[in-house]
Amino acid sequence: MEATWEEALQALKEGLKEARGEEVGLYLAHDATLEEGLMASELAKALKTPHLDFQGRTAAPASLFPAATLEDLLQADFALVLGDPTEEAPILHLRLSEFVRGLKPPHRFAHGTPFADLSIKERMPRRTDKMALFAPYRAPLMKWAALHEVHRPGEERELLLALLGDKEGSEMVARAREAWEKAQSPVLLLGASVLQDTVAAERARLLAERKGAKVLAMTPAANARGLEAMGVWPGEKGASWDEPGALYAYYGFVPPEEALKGKRFVALHLSHLHPLAERYATWSSPPPPSTRSGGTW
């Protein structure tokens, strides 16, 4: 049913009237801003609730690793990729295309950065020896990596042990390890298959640490590192973004249905109506302004 903003805020107040602070869950969208993250973190502290998280958070935090920038990638002499940047972080597909062509970050002048990079030429040769890529399926960027191999899903732990030199791996892994050791300024790129496995992630952290390398974590959440820095993370016994647990919850996205079942109050802040919102939400946000009329939603 439609309501005015005044009626909606009153309904929100009434719905949370019986809630104890520790029963409330606050779950932000994957692309929530730092400001939203800070406000949610402070509100969670005030409520004394452990139920605080963001959509797409991985088991191992992005902040576990020393962060590499896109400029660091272009300045590197070798890139070791565990995952599929084309699918997981398309901007990295573009930067890796520049990386294997030997392109460097444009010079920054006092008045700004040039819009056009005149060092880019047509049909530039690619240095495929500068990249090694391992993924659980054939990834598009393997065509630019002289060292590449498809491994079975779930073998990231064993792959990283071999890259660390703690067990024997395939010939391709051995060659990638040799290239990694010879590199002066390598960068490690990690996909979700590593980040969702805390053991594999710790081995990746150790691999980077031993070499003094920086890491680009290809997290599903666009602002994972920023939200982690703002303290958006489940506390002790707190339910994560895709789990049930909090009896009263705010979501900035549509969570899995299992997370919505059994709740006393659900507030969904969405850009459009969703079947799960119709089924479970006690309170849902307005659609985009172009579809609203007057003061109702």
Side-chain angles (χ1 to χ4, degrees):
M1 60 176 287
E2 289 190 350
T4 64
W5 272 108
E6 290 74 16
E7 292 169 334
L9 293 173
Q10 183 60 34
L12 189 61
K13 181 179 178 180
E14 288 295 320
L16 295 172
K17 185 167 59 175
E18 303 297 326
R20 297 197 302 271
E22 65 273 16
E23 296 177 325
V24 177
L26 302 170
Y27 300 104
L28 304 184
H30 70 93
D31 56 352
T33 64
L34 297 180
E35 291 81 3
E36 290 171 316
L38 180 59
M39 286 189 288
S41 180
E42 291 300 316
L43 178 56
K45 289 177 186 176
L47 294 172
K48 297 182 180 178
T49 180
H51 307 299
L52 173 66
D53 207 355
F54 60 91
Q55 178 191 21
R57 177 184 56 80
T58 50
S63 47
L64 177 68
F65 310 96
T69 65
L70 296 178
E71 287 195 3
D72 290 330
L73 175 61
L74 293 181
Q75 297 286 12
D77 58 356
F78 185 72
L80 175 57
V81 186
L82 306 182
D84 179 11
T86 307
E87 180 68 26
E88 301 184 76
I91 185 63
L92 287 179
H93 178 110
L94 173 63
R95 296 307 178 207
L96 285 166
S97 172
E98 296 174 347
F99 168 72
V100 295
R101 287 181 288 164
L103 296 172
K104 300 299 181 184
H107 180 75
R108 292 186 177 182
F109 295 97
H111 58 277
T113 302
F115 180 78
D117 187 350
L118 299 181
S119 66
I120 300 177
K121 299 177 176 60
E122 282 193 69
R123 304 184 185 281
M124 295 178 69
R126 298 184 190 275
R127 287 274 312 278
T128 59
D129 60 303
K130 294 178 63 178
M131 181 163 64
L133 192 151
F134 298 88
Y137 53 84
R138 183 155 189 84
L141 280 181
M142 286 180 174
K143 64 185 178 184
W144 298 339
L147 304 174
H148 64 265
E149 191 170 69
V150 175
H151 60 79
R152 287 183 293 183
E155 282 193 341
E156 289 78 13
R157 294 184 183 187
E158 303 307 309
L159 170 63
L160 280 154
L161 270 184
L163 289 168
L164 285 164
D166 294 339
K167 70 167 288 185
E168 187 174 345
S170 68
E171 180 185 351
M172 195 63 70
V173 173
R175 290 170 60 190
R177 180 171 179 268
E178 182 181 359
W180 172 264
E181 291 297 333
K182 287 182 177 179
Q184 297 299 309
S185 55
V187 169
L188 179 61
L189 290 82
L190 302 176
S193 59
V194 174
L195 299 172
Q196 288 288 38
D197 183 334
T198 55
V199 174
E202 176 57 25
R203 289 173 181 172
R205 187 198 65 77
L206 185 59
L207 180 67
E209 183 181 77
R210 287 181 181 178
K211 190 63 180 174
K214 293 182 179 180
V215 177
L216 277 166
M218 298 184 285
T219 58
N223 193 25
R225 190 177 287 272
L227 293 173
E228 289 167 11
M230 293 299 101
V232 181
W233 191 271
E236 185 178 354
K237 297 182 180 180
S240 65
W241 66 274
D242 57 351
E243 295 177 334
L247 295 176
Y248 305 79
Y250 161 87
Y251 294 93
F253 57 95
V254 180
E257 186 169 5
E258 288 302 313
L260 292 169
K261 291 180 178 177
K263 284 186 167 34
R264 296 175 185 170
F265 186 89
V266 174
L268 292 177
H269 185 191
L270 309 175
S271 62
H272 59 280
L273 196 59
H274 188 277
L276 289 182
E278 293 182 295
R279 191 176 309 159
Y280 293 101
T282 315
W283 186 97
S284 60
S285 65
S290 60
T291 63
R292 274 186 289 173
S293 60
T296 61
W297 53 292

